[in-house]
């Protein structure tokens, strides 16, 4: 009997000590300043799996609603594919308990607690990331395309000028001639009319083996290339399989800035789905030493295709294209085996890291649009914490006063059991890396009432046994035995409800359900085991019981 008693005390002490040990990392983390927390996270990469995390409503963060663009009926699974890719990308951010859920047939909701770099997150989540490897056309084909475009532009402008001239009435011409005589603008108008028109070729500048365009001329070039007449002319010339793409980097040449304009084959030799790994690093070789780069590693199929492509196109230039922007255009000097490539560009190491994350996670099947962006500031989260803690303290204080006043020394046992209950709940949540949300705090407050309710049932049964004239030890045994079924029934029905909420719910609802599930299990343990151990310790050998 004595051995059994020591065993129960040992179990109780072990549970309390284990709970404190599990909560130590949580106390260590949240007792630090934000700067120290960041350093602590870097030193402990798995930290979020060992502490009690705070939800979006408690620590602040960001909520995004994305709408996935559907191209047609064939894109029925585009939302599922976009969801999987976005989930991979968000997980790469290393946040604690991000929430991602689908809404309707074309929307995805992303909640990112604790996020500080909003622009970086949007760039990572929303970038389509269609990686392609395309061959550049040679100089002769580029010159031919430029000639076709120039002829098309000249034909368009001559046609527009002729139409404008036909529309000008004789009366307007007479008025213009009169104005020229009065204000002497005739000569200037003639000079303006005789000013040569700017051709497409004139907007291009030779830049090494490529052509480039001044930044202030980029809009003009885009306008020319988007004209239907120009596209039709290129189609008639048999050049529809090629396209012009802008380079990612901006080139400084003295006081002017340029962007490369690449003429590439439209159909890619390879796509980004062969990428097995992508890592950012600093270049340590050549003229670009110190610049950020992204090293790509392909899977076996990609390595074979890459080897074949580079063998067939030796001494030609291959463009590495991401979302229709050329990041690199290296010359192929020899067949490249092993499935490794490198993306260079005028980006920082942080941008290179973001690009590597996107490439590892995969490309979105369709463009997405941010239709809602809501930022919850840390101050609002802190306000929620303070109000939640205040509600919990007030509720607990009222319960303690009632228990002490009504059940006297037995009430002290109930309060100790209640404290152990909360300790176990928080420790289990920290051990599982669960997230505490504002509804979760409401769940904790609800658990206080449920835990007290279980003790009230047990104490009332003991009172009834005492009133029947039983001894203290017999009354305690009978009280716990008769209350067992009632306490179990009440908690199991609530537990089933909490499990359904966890199964079907999301976000705050799921946070509430998790807290409730852990709390009910802890409540059963403390009400039926912990309080029983203490009741035996205090009253088993006494003739009277304070209850």
């Amino acid at each position: 009997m004595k051995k059994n008693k020591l065993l129960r005390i040992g179990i109780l002490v072990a549970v309390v000590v284990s709970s404190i040990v599990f909560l130590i990392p949580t106390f260590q983390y949240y007792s630090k300043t934000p700067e120290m927390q960041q350093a602590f996270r870097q030193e402990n990469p798995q930290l979020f799996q060992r502490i009690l995390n705070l939800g979006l409503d408690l620590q602040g963060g960001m909520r995004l609603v994305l709408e996935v663009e559907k191209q047609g009926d064939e894109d029925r699974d585009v939302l599922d594919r976009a969801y999987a890719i976005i989930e991979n990308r968000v997980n790469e951010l290393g946040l604690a308990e991000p929430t991602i859920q689908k809404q309707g047939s074309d929307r995805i909701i992303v909640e990112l607690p604790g996020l500080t770099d909003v622009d970086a997150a949007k760039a990572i989540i929303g970038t389509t990331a269609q990686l392609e490897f395309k061959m550049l056309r040679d100089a002769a084909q580029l010159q031919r395309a430029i000639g076709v475009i120039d002829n098309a532009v000249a034909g368009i402008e001559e046609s527009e000028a002729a139409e404008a001239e036909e529309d000008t009435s004789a009366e307007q011409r007479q008025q213009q001639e009169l104005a020229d005589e009065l204000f002497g603008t005739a000569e200037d108008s003639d000079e303006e009319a005789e000013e040569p028109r700017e051709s497409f070729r004139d907007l291009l500048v030779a830049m090494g083996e490529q052509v480039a365009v001044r930044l202030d001329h980029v809009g003009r070039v885009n306008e020319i290339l988007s004209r239907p007449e120009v596209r039709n002319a290129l189609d008639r010339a048999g050049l529809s399989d090629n396209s012009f793409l802008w380079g990612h980097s901006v080139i400084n040449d003295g006081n002017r800035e340029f962007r490369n304009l690449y003429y590439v084959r439209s159909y890619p030799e390879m796509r980004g789905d062969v990428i097995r790994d992508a890592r950012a690093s600093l270049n340590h070789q050549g003229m670009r030493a110190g610049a950020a780069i992204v090293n790509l590693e392909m899977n076996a199929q990609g390595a074979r295709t890459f080897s074949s492509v580079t063998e067939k196109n030796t001494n030609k230039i291959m463009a590495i294209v991401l979302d229709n922007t050329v990041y690199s255009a290296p010359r192929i000097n020899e067949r490249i085996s092993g499935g490794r490539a490198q993306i260079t560009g005028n980006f920082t190491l942080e941008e290179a890291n973001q690009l590597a994350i996107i490439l590892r996670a995969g490309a979105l099947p369709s463009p997405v649009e941010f239709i809602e962006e809501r930022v919850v500031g840390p101050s609002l989260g802190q306000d929620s914490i303070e109000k939640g803690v205040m509600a919990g303290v007030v509720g607990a204080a009222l319960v303690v006063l009632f228990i002490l006043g009504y059940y006297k020394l037995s009430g002290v046992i109930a309060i100790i059991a209640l404290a152990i209950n909360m300790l176990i709940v928080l420790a289990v949540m920290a051990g599982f890396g669960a997230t505490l949300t504002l509804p979760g705090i409401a769940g904790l407050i609800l658990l206080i009432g449920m835990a007290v309710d279980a003790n009230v049932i047990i104490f009332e049964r003991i009172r009834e046994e005492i009133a029947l004239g039983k001894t203290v030890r017999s009354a305690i045994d009978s009280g716990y035995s008769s209350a067992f079924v009632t306490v179990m029934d009440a908690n199991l029905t609530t537990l089933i409800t909490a499990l359904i909420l966890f199964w079907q719910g999301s976000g705050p609802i799921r946070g509430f359900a998790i807290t409730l599930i852990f709390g009910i299990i802890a409540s059963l343990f403390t009400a039926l085991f912990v309080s029983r151990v203490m009741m035996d310790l205090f009253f088993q050998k006494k003739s009277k019981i304070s209850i």
Side-chain angles (χ1 to χ4, degrees), residues 72 129 220 223 226 231 238 401 407 410 430 490 532:
R220 169 67 175 161
E223 186 269 330
S226 64
R231 293 202 299 269
L401 289 176
Y407 291 110
S410 297
R532 175 64 189 270

Side-chain angles (χ1 to χ4, degrees), residues 114-149:
L115 190 71
T116 56
D117 195 344
V118 176
D119 292 334
K122 289 180 66 176
I124 290 176
I125 294 171
T127 301
T128 307
Q130 292 287 356
L131 180 67
E132 297 169 318
F133 297 82
K134 296 182 175 181
M135 297 308 303
L136 253 68
R137 290 308 197 186
D138 58 30
Q141 291 170 312
L142 173 62
Q143 292 301 323
R144 186 183 171 211
I146 294 173
V148 171
I149 295 172

Side-chain angles (χ1 to χ4, degrees), residues 131 133 270-279 294-311 318 320 334-343:
L131 180 67
F133 297 82
M270 294 172 56
R271 297 185 187 276
D273 54 358
V274 299
I275 299 299
R276 183 169 64 185
D277 193 15
R279 300 287 168 183
V294 178
N295 295 304
L296 304 177
E297 183 178 346
M298 304 169 193
N299 57 25
Q301 180 186 351
R304 287 193 296 271
T305 306
F306 194 62
S307 175
S308 174
V309 170
T310 52
E311 184 177 19
M318 172 183 280
I320 301 177
E334 58 185 354
R335 182 174 72 91
I336 302 175
S337 57
R340 295 182 181 276
Q342 192 176 84
I343 301 177

Side-chain angles (χ1 to χ4, degrees), residues 306-380:
F306 194 62
S307 175
S308 174
V309 170
T310 52
E311 184 177 19
K312 292 177 182 176
N313 295 282
T314 302
N315 293 324
K316 295 181 181 178
I317 297 176
M318 172 183 280
I320 301 177
V321 183
L322 181 68
D323 290 345
N324 291 324
T325 299
V326 177
Y327 276 70
S328 303
R331 179 177 292 280
I332 302 172
N333 295 320
E334 58 185 354
R335 182 174 72 91
I336 302 175
S337 57
R340 295 182 181 276
Q342 192 176 84
I343 301 177
T344 61
N346 188 21
F347 37 59
T348 64
L349 184 59
E350 184 179 358
E351 291 172 332
N353 273 319
Q354 293 178 6
L355 179 58
I357 289 173
I358 292 170
L359 293 175
R360 285 201 302 271
L364 284 174
S366 183
V368 297
E369 180 184 1
F370 292 91
I371 62 173
E372 183 183 331
E373 174 186 332
R374 183 158 56 89
V375 177
V376 179
S379 58
L380 181 59

Side-chain angles (χ1 to χ4, degrees), residues 69-88:
E69 181 180 325
K70 289 190 172 181
Q71 306 295 331
D73 295 337
E74 66 275 11
D75 288 342
R76 290 176 181 174
D77 64 340
V78 67
L79 183 66
D80 294 333
R81 287 185 286 144
Y83 174 86
I85 298 300
I86 289 175
E87 186 178 37
N88 288 338

